[in-house]
Each structure stands twice: as structure tokens, then as C-alpha cells.
Amino acid sequence: MAVVGVRPLAGRRLSSFFYRHPRVRLAALLTPAMAWLGVIYLGSLAALAVYSFYRLEEFTGLVVPEVGLDTYRQLLDPANRDIIIRTTLMAASVTVACGVIAFPLAYYMARFASPRAKTFLYVGVLMPLWSSYLVRVLSWKLILAREGIATWFLDQTALSPVLDLILKTPAVGGASLSTSDIGRFLVFVYTWLPYMILPLHAALERVPDSFVEASGDLGARPRLTFRRIILPLALPGLAAGSIFTFSLTLGDFIIPGIIGDSSYFIGARVLQATGVESNLPLAAAFSVVPMVVMVLYLFGAKRLGAFEAL
Amino acid sequence: MKRRTLGLKIASGAVMLFQYFPLAVIFLYAFTTESAGFRFPPPGLTTEWFGVTFRNPEMWRALWLSVQVALLATAVAMVLGSLLAAAVHRTRFFGREAVSFLVVLPIALPGIVTGIALRSSIDAAHIDFGLITVVAGHATFCIVVVYNNVIARFRRLSPSLIEASADLAASGLQTFRHILLPNIATALLAGGLLSFALSFDEIIVTTFTAGTLHTLPIFIFRSLFRPRSQPVTNVVAMMMVAITFVPILLAQRLSGEARGVAHAAGAEP
């Protein structure tokens, strides 16, 4: 029993070496992951950013490696500008809707649910967050199809005229739910909702009961307590959740590809530029848009304390 | 007070129903007798599509590829993620904040940015698209999952355990083997399971790094545009749900227990 530490001499030497040289130990721990994330991944992102300043020679189809703003000027073409505006508006409205819908559930989980119910709800929200992204989108194709459940349900409840009215809304309407921007919006909200619920729940759970009680003792009505105590403290959670809902909507090409009309989103446009057109500079310039939006967003969210709620 | 909870309860139930109802729909349509439509209610029910699916060699190839990719990407992520967690947790160094920022980047940035960036680098390096490139792409966003799980455990681990082990003359390797590893094992495993599920399910980065290979999600996506075999897609979708839900439930159980222990020890409020 006493001679545990005699055998591995080399290991001993190595560990005391690491102990005496903490910087070397740090380097040994950091290098593998940093070589990947810091050099290759970040390098790729940087290269992509550089590419966006190059341009494609229209006649030869070759990339001209001269730094300029020609490709970015293309982004301002009406067609491309529309894509950027459409995608960003969708991302913003999906984020707002997710925040509104997620709040009651997150609030209930954090403050009222019994421990059992809480675990149940937590796992229930967690599973769709980690899995079945494509399957969950696919299911809406079945639901929203012309002869599918949505139509059947509306017929049964005599609500079809209401839907028809909604679908007539200019700009976001369409022939049916599965080919309109309203349908897209619905599926985006459905798909990213768990990403909003969990950070929000984490933030709400940290609101001390004593704060709420103190507010009540000082004569605040529930509504005022909610507005002045709970909502401000939930803000980091909302910010953290919105990072996901916003970013995921910005870059997604699967949902707009399956649901909605033929109008492009940034993701689909990038895919097309890299595929058929092989116009890498344009694809790069398009991807710089969500990159810049997200980096600004992340800085803003960090100031709100969102990273602690991730 | 009671009435307010009732309203919240109903809203919560509605949100959960909203989340799970579509999955039930997929399950139902895996049994429909209609081969190219989504009529509701289905004209009839059958189990023949399961046979059709299981006889499809393309499906098996895609499934096997997805399993390989998920296992390899998870293995890479477990090594890199836990090393990184150890570095960030144990030492204060210049750029430590930047490291934790960098780890989140692959999931905070839209998948398409990661995808196209890696694709153009792979192109530029003249590497052939294949299993390795898919694994590399997946490992990039899986690292953060393992990292988050392991670093959370490190924070709860008392540093005196490691010092005590060294004081009792254990070598670094022994401390790692007998003290560190048993303590972080469940967190590491939970991170691994989550990263397996994440990788198995991923399609956006995969689209850019897979070349002509088809993982299971890509198989499903492509079959969407061949409406003849619609129920087969639904059967495969059911399989996807089953394969990804199990590791997540396991991971939840593993880290949930751990959290319970920490609560009991008063390590967490």
C-alpha cells in the first residue's frame, strides 16, 4: 500500500516539470484546441472576410484578388438588399415572438412549478433544443400542406375565412400557409423557441424570492413588481436567448427552403453563390453581414450580462 | 395568486403541446398508406414503409456515415474541450476571456458562416472532401459542448483534492487517473453524449463540408424533393428522433445527478 508513487518515474518527472513551469503546462493544455479554433477556424473566418473584398471577373468567372469594395456594392443592388432586409426583419420578429411566447413557461418553471414538474418541463424543453432540428422542420411541411392537418382543423372549426383573410395581408401573405412568409415565421418561432426558454429560465431562477417579497411589502402591486423587479433581472436571459434566435434565423437556409415562397434568405443566397454561381467573393460578402451583425450583437449582449445566462 | 398560476400553467402546457405535437404528426405519417401526399386524416394505416426503409441500402450507408462522424467528432471534442476547460479553469492568463469567447463562436455565429469559411479553407488547402472534413467541421462546434460541461464541473471541484493528492506523493498521472478523471467523468460523458446528438443532427455545416457524402440528415433533406417515397422519409425521421433523444436523456440524467450532489453539498445556491 505504501509504495504507490515509486513506479512511474517518467510521469513523476513530467508532472514536477509541469508544476515548476506552469506556463508550459498551460501551453500544453491550450495548444491542441487553440491550434484548431484559434488558427484554423479563426483563420478560415478571416480568409472569408478577405475574400469578400475580392471580386469575380464576370466574363472569365475567375476571382480577382484585388482589394476593393465592388462586391459590397453588389450587396446594395435592390435584389440583394431586399434579401438582407427580409432576413434581418424576419430574425428580429422571430426573436420578439420567441421572447413573448417563452416568458410564461420560463417564469412558471422558475417560480411556481414543483420540483417534479420542473424537471419534466426542463427535459421537455431540452430535447428539442439538442435534437431533431430537421425532423421538426419537416413535420411542418406535413402540417401546413394544402390537404394537411392545418387545413383540416380550420375547416372543422370554420376558421378558414380567418386564415384566408390573414393570407391576403400584402407582403407576408401567400397562397397557403406553407408557401407564405407567415408560415416561415411560424416554423422559425417553433424551431428556435427552446433556445429562448432555457436562458430565460436560468435568469428568472436567479431572481431572489426576497426581492419579490420586499417589493410587495413596500406596497407594489404584482404588475409593478413584474415591471420593476422581474423584467429587468430577466433581461440578461432574454439577451442570451435572443443571440440564438437571431443568429440561427440569420443563417438558416433549411427552413426557408422547405417552407415559404421562392424568395431568398441570406443563407440560401450564400448557398447559391457558392454552388451554381461559384462566386465566392459574393458569398463571402453575404456571410460577412451576419458575422458583423452577430459580433455587434454579442458585444451588446455581453454588456447586458448575457454570457452568464448562456 | 392562484388564478395567476392557473393562467401560467395553461400557457406552459400550450407551449409544450406546440413543441411536441409536430413530432406526433411525423410519427402518424410514417404509417399512412398514401405514398405521395399529406392528406389528413390519412386514408389508411400500414407498416409496410418500415420494410421499404430497412431494405434501402442508401439509408444504411447514410446512417452508418452519421454514426461514424458523430463518434469521431465527439472523440475529438472530448479531448480538446476538456483540455481547454482545464487550462481556462486552472490558470489566469492573458486572453483568457478571448478563449471563452472563441469557443462559443462556432455556435453563436450562423452555421452557414462556419460552413462556408471551412469549405473555402478546405478548398484552398486542396484537401478532398470526405469523412475527415465532415468530422473536422462537426468537431468545431462540438468542442463548446464538452467544454461547458467540464468547466462547470471543474468549478465545483475543490482544488484541495488535487493538492492533497500531490501532497500524498501521487504523480500527475496518478492524480489524473484516480482523482481528476473520476470527478469529471460524468460531466465529460454528458458533454460527449450531447455532442454526439448535436453532430448526428447537424445539416448546415455538413452541407458545406461533406462533398458528395450523404449523412442521415442530408439523406432526409434530399428525399424531401422526391415526393414518391414520402413515408420513407418519415420513418427515417422517426429513427433520427429516437437516436438523438436517447443520448440527451442520458446526458440529462448524468449531469442532473451531479447537480443534485452539488446542491446537497451546498456548493451551489
Side-chain angles (χ1 to χ4, degrees), chain A residues 14-294:
Chain A
L14 194 67
S15 56
S16 44
F17 175 76
F18 275 153
Y19 185 78
R20 266 179 278 121
H21 302 88
R23 292 282 126 186
V24 181
R25 181 186 64 197
L26 180 65
L29 288 173
L30 272 179
T31 307
M34 278 304 111
W36 181 251
L37 288 176
V39 179
I40 299 184
Y41 179 60
L42 218 52
S44 303
L45 289 179
L48 190 67
V50 170
Y51 251 101
S52 68
F53 291 102
Y54 295 168
R55 64 192 164 83
L56 194 77
E57 183 59 60
E58 293 228 6
F59 299 107
T60 56
L62 293 174
V63 174
V64 185
E66 289 164 11
V67 173
L69 288 173
D70 283 4
T71 310
Y72 281 100
R73 221 162 279 140
Q74 273 183 47
L75 284 189
L76 297 178
D77 288 350
N80 292 336
R81 198 180 51 208
D82 279 356
I83 293 174
I84 293 172
I85 292 173
R86 183 184 307 125
T87 313
T88 315
L89 278 181
M90 179 63 92
S93 37
V94 166
T95 300
V96 171
C98 280
V100 172
I101 298 175
F103 209 99
L105 177 60
Y107 191 56
Y108 178 70
M109 278 167 77
R111 299 199 61 84
F112 300 110
S114 66
R116 265 183 84 101
K118 197 170 176 163
T119 312
F120 177 77
L121 291 172
Y122 188 77
V123 175
V125 175
L126 201 67
M127 299 236 279
L129 186 145
W130 284 107
S131 77
S132 325
Y133 156 70
L134 183 62
V135 175
R136 281 154 31 84
V137 177
L138 167 67
S139 65
W140 283 95
K141 193 178 148 94
L142 309 182
I143 294 171
L144 297 181
R146 193 180 296 276
E147 70 279 18
I149 294 185
T151 312
W152 176 84
F153 177 78
L154 292 170
D155 281 345
Q156 299 290 313
T157 50
L159 285 171
S160 305
V162 181
L163 177 70
D164 288 342
L165 210 67
I166 294 172
L167 284 175
K168 285 213 185 78
T169 317
V172 293
S176 73
L177 270 180
S178 66
T179 57
S180 67
D181 271 349
I182 296 175
R184 267 182 188 157
F185 170 76
L186 186 68
V187 178
F188 271 127
V189 171
Y190 165 77
T191 316
W192 310 139
L193 192 57
Y195 291 86
M196 182 62 93
I197 297 174
L198 286 187
L200 191 53
H201 164 248
L204 284 170
E205 201 160 46
R206 282 195 217 131
V207 180
D209 283 339
S210 55
F211 281 29
V212 180
E213 282 160 22
S215 169
D217 291 348
L218 291 170
R221 286 166 193 261
R223 195 178 292 268
L224 188 65
T225 305
F226 181 81
R227 204 158 50 87
R228 300 290 293 272
I229 308 289
I230 294 169
L231 206 55
L233 289 170
L235 215 54
L238 278 171
S242 68
I243 293 174
F244 289 109
T245 54
F246 201 81
S247 155
L248 288 165
T249 312
L250 273 188
D252 194 273
F253 59 84
I254 303 287
I255 293 174
I258 295 179
I259 310 282
D261 54 17
S262 55
S263 62
Y264 274 116
F265 270 52
I266 290 179
R269 189 67 188 83
V270 169
L271 192 64
Q272 196 200 29
T274 54
V276 191
E277 295 171 22
S278 58
N279 186 347
L280 195 55
L282 185 63
F286 257 113
S287 352
V288 167
V289 175
M291 246 199 286
V292 170
V293 172
M294 277 325 290

Side-chain angles (χ1 to χ4, degrees), chain B residues 118-140:
Chain B
L118 289 177
R119 184 208 182 107
S120 40
S121 292
I122 295 166
D123 253 340
H126 299 290
I127 300 168
D128 288 332
F129 288 94
L131 182 63
I132 300 293
T133 54
V134 185
V135 171
H138 284 204
T140 309

Side-chain angles (χ1 to χ4, degrees), chain B residues 40-64:
Chain B
F40 188 87
L45 298 176
T46 170
T47 51
E48 67 170 310
W49 301 111
F50 286 80
V52 175
T53 309
F54 295 144
R55 283 193 299 275
N56 184 342
E58 235 183 289
M59 191 282 293
W60 287 112
R61 263 201 301 277
L63 176 63
W64 173 230

